[in-house]
Amino acid sequence: MLTVETRPAISPTEAKGMDTTALRGAFLGEGLFAPGEIRLIYSHYDRMITGGAVPAGGSLTLDQVKECGTASVLDRRELGVVNVGAAGSVTAAGQTYAMEKGDVLYLGRGLGPVSFAGQGRFYLTSAPAHASLPARLIRLGEAKSFTTGAPETANHRTIYQFIHPEVMESCQLVLGYTKFHGGSVWNTMPAHLHDRRMEAYFYFDLAPDARVFHMMGRPEETRHLVVANEEAVLSPPWSIHCGAGTGSYTFVWAMAGDNVDYKDVEMVGMGDLR
């Protein structure tokens, strides 16, 4: 079963006047993971698709997505798959990839239908692609990583880069995830902007009663979303993106846009946040 929700682009002027319900409806992805279903959000921000596939021991196939306007979803797109659950497998173009929790799979343009099987919980991100590039399964030990932040500022974390120029080639999709060290809860602080790329955050490994307060909006006009486990946030190019959790968590970050330069950001000073 496939469900697709389209989200139009929202301007910062419009977002400034939104209440909590409107903000959550425009920017928060809830209920992405349902047993026996594929649920997607098709965003007008750089035409990014985010979603979840839960085969629940059976098999699910992602093929035609009407919103893409092509016969099959990968006809003009690339896809990143992150397994955030138990062991499972993904099959495309006759090749099956066994995926453990934390593994990332890149599927390039033109690989046809994609099937998901096993007990995995697969987080999906997809962006338009201008070229056909080889598929690649990337395990944690093959990712590029670096540690930043400090315990004193509650943002000591390790960033793992998977679909990234220093690991592999992609068209415009850049993806990785961030894990926190004990006692640290702040992500991506100090905050920044990148006007040339949108970003999607996906929070997972939260306890059932834990929440992340995700900060968004213009630096001078911030808003927040209260996010639960396995929920995503669509972050527009004009918005900051950072947050703090009530407990430990991990988040996947995925970007699409004009370039794949991870360092192409505009830092926002703490004194400029309102």
Side-chain angles (χ1 to χ4, degrees), residues 96-115:
T96 297
Y97 304 89
M99 297 184 67
E100 302 292 333
K101 182 176 182 179
D103 290 346
V104 175
L105 175 65
Y106 172 83
L107 296 174
R109 188 184 74 173
L111 290 184
V114 183
S115 295

Side-chain angles (χ1 to χ4, degrees), residues 187-199:
N187 74 69
T188 325
M189 181 61 74
H192 62 253
L193 300 164
H194 33 74
D195 190 59
R196 288 157 292 281
R197 293 173 296 164
M198 67 83 65
E199 188 161 3

Side-chain angles (χ1 to χ4, degrees), residues 146-159 178-181 184-190:
F146 64 94
T147 299
T148 188
E152 294 79 11
T153 48
N155 66 350
H156 193 210
R157 61 200 189 273
T158 297
I159 298 172
T178 300
K179 287 180 171 286
F180 292 88
H181 298 276
S184 287
V185 294
W186 272 104
N187 74 69
T188 325
M189 181 61 74

